[in-house]
Amino acid sequence: LGESYKRVVQLASVIGTTFSHDLLSALMDTEEVLAEPLSGLEREGIIERISSLEGGQYRFRHQMMREVAYHALLRRDRRRYHGIVARNMEKMYKRNPRLHLASLSYHFYAAQDWEKALTYTLEAAHEARHAYACHEGLTCFNRALDILDKGSFSGQEETILRIHEWKGRLHYCVGQLKEAEAAFRTLLKEAQRARHRNMEAEAFFRLGWISFYEHHPRAAQRYLGRAVDVCKARKIHDT
């Protein structure tokens, strides 16, 4: 490919497998006209036009081509371009960001804008949870934990506890009982460390329910008994 074509492919690869003319234009350093390079890339069979909306929607015909173009960019350039994409997406979709939460989460994460990455990642996780898209929700919650590990955030301890709780629930929802148990054990450990009695009781209850489901009545009775004890102790302490 010529240099102009190559650059368009690399910048488009930052946006994703599917990209729009408007977002691609925002990444260009100059007011370069994209019509000819995009048409040429279509002729070469590298991209294809899938919609004329919003100046044109395109996608890579082969995912491998997109990955090769993306990794040909320097890391610092990828990070900067992801930030440009994320900020432009915020402006473009500010009236209805719910349809683009996953993309906003991904681009702010890749840009290492941790505050916004956390906000959009948690919103995307809960949107997926409400839609019963459990695997997508788990991916988002795991990304949120990774972000929380990178800095200090307001309400960080409570957020971490809630994430482990929802991870356990989502694993349980898709029948991944071992993973659900591991998530609730982590929740229990973190809740006890933080002396968060409500979450401690929640963890014991969930572990008891899993034990009951797996036909371990003695373990279930033990866990549920601990949940009751924690609740009673909390009630006495509050009074």
Side-chain angles (χ1 to χ4, degrees), residues 19-25 34-35 38 49 51-58 92:
F19 60 93
S20 71
H21 179 283
D22 291 348
L23 279 176
L24 184 57
S25 296
L34 288 171
L38 289 173
R49 190 182 182 108
S51 171
S52 60
L53 297 176
E54 300 180 26
Q57 295 277 342
Y58 300 83
M92 292 171 63

Side-chain angles (χ1 to χ4, degrees), residues 48-221:
E48 59 182 343
R49 190 182 182 108
I50 56 176
S51 171
S52 60
L53 297 176
E54 300 180 26
Q57 295 277 342
Y58 300 83
R59 69 181 169 206
F60 283 89
R61 291 178 63 87
H62 304 287
Q63 178 63 18
M64 184 62 72
M65 176 62 76
R66 184 250 166 181
E67 291 179 6
V68 169
Y70 180 78
H71 290 289
L73 290 165
L74 296 175
R75 288 185 180 181
R76 66 171 181 270
D77 290 335
R78 294 203 301 260
R79 185 167 64 246
R80 179 167 65 88
Y81 289 137
H82 277 295
I84 295 172
V85 172
R87 290 188 293 274
N88 276 274
M89 288 187 71
E90 266 193 321
K91 294 176 184 177
M92 292 171 63
Y93 307 130
K94 63 182 179 180
R95 292 186 178 180
N96 191 12
R98 288 180 59 190
L99 298 177
H100 308 279
L101 291 174
S103 294
L104 286 163
S105 163
Y106 165 70
H107 286 296
F108 275 118
Y109 179 84
Q112 297 183 13
D113 186 335
W114 304 129
E115 289 286 348
K116 287 196 173 183
L118 181 62
T119 297
Y120 284 116
T121 298
L122 289 175
E123 287 183 17
H126 289 300
E127 191 72 17
R129 179 173 64 82
H130 291 309
Y132 295 98
C134 297
H135 293 290
E136 183 180 340
L138 285 166
T139 298
C140 291
F141 281 130
N142 284 329
R143 178 181 293 169
L145 287 174
D146 182 50
I147 295 169
L148 287 163
D149 193 47
K150 297 180 184 300
S152 179
F153 301 85
S154 176
Q156 185 165 347
E157 191 173 75
E158 179 79 17
T159 301
I160 290 172
L161 292 174
R162 292 292 180 187
I163 289 174
H164 286 301
E165 177 193 2
W166 283 112
K167 279 189 63 180
R169 291 192 184 197
L170 290 177
H171 279 303
Y172 184 86
C173 183
V174 295
Q176 297 173 341
L177 298 187
K178 294 299 181 185
E179 290 83 352
E181 182 179 359
F184 289 128
R185 286 191 183 281
T186 301
L187 172 62
L188 177 61
K189 179 181 176 181
E190 293 294 325
Q192 289 176 333
R193 183 184 60 79
R195 297 184 179 180
H196 196 301
R197 300 310 178 200
N198 285 348
M199 281 297 186
E200 183 182 2
E202 177 73 16
F204 277 129
F205 171 77
R206 296 291 174 180
L207 288 168
W209 182 253
I210 290 174
S211 297
F212 176 79
Y213 190 86
E214 292 187 314
H215 306 289
H216 300 306
R218 291 184 180 178
Q221 187 176 22

